Amino acid sequence: MALSSSTLCHQNLTKPYYISFHKQPHILSHLQFQTPPKTLTLDPKFTITGGCKLSGHVPISGSKNSALSILAATLCCSGTSKLHGVPNLSDTRTMASILRSLGAEIEACNGEMWINADGVGSVEPCPEDIGKIRGGFFVIGPLLARFGEAVVALPGGCDIGTRPVDLYIRGLRALGAIVELGDGKVRAQAANGRGLVGGRFRLDHPSVGATETLMMAACMADGVTVLSNVAKEPEVIDLARFLTGSGACVEGAGSDTLYIKGKNQLHGSECIVPPDRIEAGTFMLAAAITRSSISMSPVIPSHVACLIDKLLAAGCKITCAHDTLEVSAVPDDVGDNLQGFDVRTCPFPGFPTDLQPQTMVLLTTCNGSSIVEETVFENRMGHVRELQKLGARIQVCGSTAVICGKEKGRVGCRRSN
């Protein structure tokens, strides 16, 4: 099916990627996470020979961000949870290590993970691991909900801007927690000495991490919780589906308000992690940048609709059939030139900030001038200096960049002398 800017392929393909079982899957006795072979040596640099076309089909991995929040949510569950399509990345391995430090048992093999949190006896995960990834902090919600207390180090993550935990803290306080911050750790406990209670909380801005953490905490709180101005990202919907499949009562995922009725206990369930929209978007942009044609699957087109719109406007040809997307920028298909366009990043369903740097690279190869405005993270222009070293003509003022496209007879960046 060919796509145009007026007839986007926005099928709801999320459901086929999720299944739920009330039975408890079997967990093996010796649980280890598969790691890359020890003989594999990773070179700290990439050597790239440019001027090549891309071709072929790319399998898209499961969503890293969805996997991290779902892994944290397994702490709410009794019995075993089984996840399919978990990407074997350093972040997911770190999250598995965090869960193990609490006492969870985990097995992982070929993208599948079995997690049993029945043996969790600690409320303080390994601070070194928490400091490695932003998603590690998510466990404060499930721990506080299940045990009535939690001690979690401040999170790490990418250096792309300020991402304070004040929304998390104020949200947990709205659910009846006493929360203190000191010595690089957040200490929280239920004020009533028993557990969290339902409440109302409006987020100052739709933070994905805060939305997910408070959703997990509210699932086992006593009473009804209403969270407003929440994030609408697909990863939030993925987490809500997993929790609902585990026995939670969550309504409103995908809207700006969540209604959650707490339950005393959740059970393990089985789910498939949906495809990573950022990975898919990156390969879509790679096809456009190199004026190539590649296909990829599985992809949920509605998750990358904003990028599809931009690429179509630029002149790319995009077709989709079920969960397979093909992007072509081959001159024989689309003509010699792609046109520049403007981008303003914002929360879903707007243009994703995680695709902003890749998009800027594309714009250096397009005709005309383009404007990129970053509204999510204040430090997400660090790549501009590196592109300028390659000859890109980009001017930055604050969080806005103006990109001058290709000159006549030359495409994109050039190596500087």
Side-chain angles (χ1 to χ4, degrees), residues 23 37 42 114 188 215 290 293 320 357 360:
K23 294 181 180 180
L42 297 178
W114 294 260
M215 184 198 309
T290 59
S293 177
C320 95
M360 192 178 294

Side-chain angles (χ1 to χ4, degrees), residues 280-302:
T282 299
F283 282 110
M284 292 168 66
L285 287 162
I289 291 167
T290 59
R291 304 303 193 264
S292 304
S293 177
I294 61 175
S295 63
M296 62 205 74
S297 67
V299 178
I300 301 176
S302 61

Side-chain angles (χ1 to χ4, degrees), residues 25-63:
H26 175 66
I27 190 164
L28 304 181
S29 57
H30 299 289
L31 307 175
Q32 298 293 329
F33 197 106
Q34 281 193 337
T35 57
K38 293 182 179 180
T39 56
L40 178 63
T41 302
L42 297 178
D43 195 316
K45 65 180 182 298
F46 291 109
T47 301
I48 302 169
T49 302
C52 300
K53 298 291 185 181
L54 304 179
S55 63
H57 182 83
V58 181
I60 300 301
S61 307
S63 169

